[in-house]
Amino acid sequence: MHDFKIEQYFEIVDRLQGLNSLGEIRAQCGKISESLGFDHYIFGSFFPQTMGDIVTVDGFPSEWRAQYQQANYIDVDPTVLHCMVETSPLLWREIKREKTPSGKAASALMEEAASYGLRDGISMPVHGAGAEAGMISFVSNNPLQFNEISLPLIRMVSQSVHEQLKHVTVGQKFSDSDLTGREGECLKWTAVGKTSWEISKILGVSESTVIFHLKNAIKKMGVSNRPQAVAKAVALAKIKLF
């Protein structure tokens, strides 16, 4: 693996900016992975705005991807399980081979991955606004070495890829769902259990005005009731709870 230099990060950001499709991002990530000295990469992210599946771009062997999906390895993949709940990077060599059913399954998975040339790697969690979550793994067929700037640079690269993927996947599609200040206030008070009448007293407006704002918020969120509107607004980082 190559020694990292801070200049590489700015070069990578420049390459990512202006990309307008998943295909372009996939090709650029391949070049980034190679320039950093890795053999393979995979990036997956969930954006609550799309309410859909995980968006994935990768340069993993197609045979391994097919086997991974067929065996439903995502349920026992230690890199995925780590990145779902942690913010720190995971070095593959540090994955514990626990003597439990899940630990044995994870060990078997990693050994099988190695047979496809995925022997050593690093997985970096990415957590964005609201409920955004993702991870990126850079992998090599050979043992990796890291210098003191490796992990911070990989973290910054991961975040940059995440943001560009969000731009391409989500774009401005949900700009019309922006809440007004009053709509956001009404949703936040709803989130803590206040009724329309109670919110009206807190905000100093009529109860009918509160109901009006909440109906607008529900419509903008594309849901059918107040609890759903609150949940979606929080997930999309449209409001922050008290």
Side-chain angles (χ1 to χ4, degrees):
M1 192 175 99
H2 302 160
D3 287 339
F4 287 86
K5 296 180 180 179
I6 191 63
E7 291 81 4
Q8 286 180 279
Y9 170 66
F10 298 106
E11 294 173 1
I12 288 170
V13 172
D14 287 339
R15 294 181 205 169
L16 289 170
Q17 290 179 345
L19 301 184
N20 296 307
S21 71
L22 292 180
E24 291 178 347
I25 292 179
R26 182 177 293 107
Q28 194 57 63
C29 283
K31 294 178 181 178
I32 292 171
S33 176
E34 182 179 358
S35 71
L36 297 181
F38 297 100
D39 298 314
H40 308 284
Y41 78 92
I42 186 168
F43 185 91
S45 190
F46 169 75
F47 300 104
Q49 296 93 323
T50 64
M51 297 299 172
D53 296 329
I54 296 173
V55 180
T56 303
V57 293
D58 75 279
F60 272 19
S62 57
E63 298 85 356
W64 169 244
R65 292 286 288 142
Q67 171 62 13
Y68 188 97
Q69 293 175 2
Q70 182 178 356
N72 201 29
Y73 279 150
I74 193 171
D75 290 337
V76 295
D77 189 338
T79 66
V80 173
L81 298 177
H82 173 90
C83 291
M84 286 175 61
V85 297
E86 301 290 345
T87 58
S88 60
L90 174 66
L91 301 180
W92 285 21
R93 68 192 63 171
E94 296 178 354
I95 294 175
K96 296 180 180 180
R97 306 295 197 261
E98 298 177 355
K99 295 181 179 180
T100 63
S102 60
K104 291 180 180 179
S107 179
L109 184 156
M110 300 307 291
E111 290 176 3
E112 187 172 357
S115 70
Y116 286 86
L118 309 171
R119 300 184 182 279
D120 196 9
I122 178 173
S123 295
M124 183 71 69
V126 179
H127 299 284
E132 291 177 11
M135 61 175 285
I136 190 166
S137 293
F138 288 112
V139 189
S140 178
N141 191 33
N142 300 303
L144 298 174
Q145 293 182 349
F146 299 94
N147 59 34
E148 66 277 3
I149 202 171
S150 298
L151 298 186
L153 264 177
I154 292 175
R155 185 184 298 276
M156 291 189 292
V157 168
S158 302
Q159 192 65 47
S160 296
V161 174
H162 172 85
E163 291 301 327
Q164 194 62 28
L165 188 59
K166 177 181 178 180
H167 171 74
V168 169
T169 304
V170 180
Q172 301 301 314
K173 181 178 180 181
F174 292 88
S175 60
D176 291 340
S177 67
D178 288 341
L179 300 170
T180 65
R182 195 60 102 184
E183 290 165 355
E185 286 181 312
C186 290
L187 277 184
K188 285 193 288 185
W189 284 114
T190 298
V192 296
K194 299 298 182 181
T195 65
S196 297
W197 182 83
E198 290 172 328
I199 296 172
S200 72
K201 297 306 178 184
I202 293 171
L203 300 182
V205 297
S206 68
E207 183 176 2
S208 61
T209 297
V210 172
I211 294 173
F212 171 78
H213 288 311
L214 287 173
K215 284 184 176 179
N216 283 341
I218 290 170
K219 182 178 180 180
K220 287 182 177 181
M221 292 296 99
V223 295
S224 58
N225 56 51
R226 296 183 184 187
Q228 291 175 353
V230 169
K232 190 169 182 179
V234 172
L236 299 180
K238 299 294 183 180
I239 63 172
K240 293 183 179 179
L241 301 183
F242 302 97

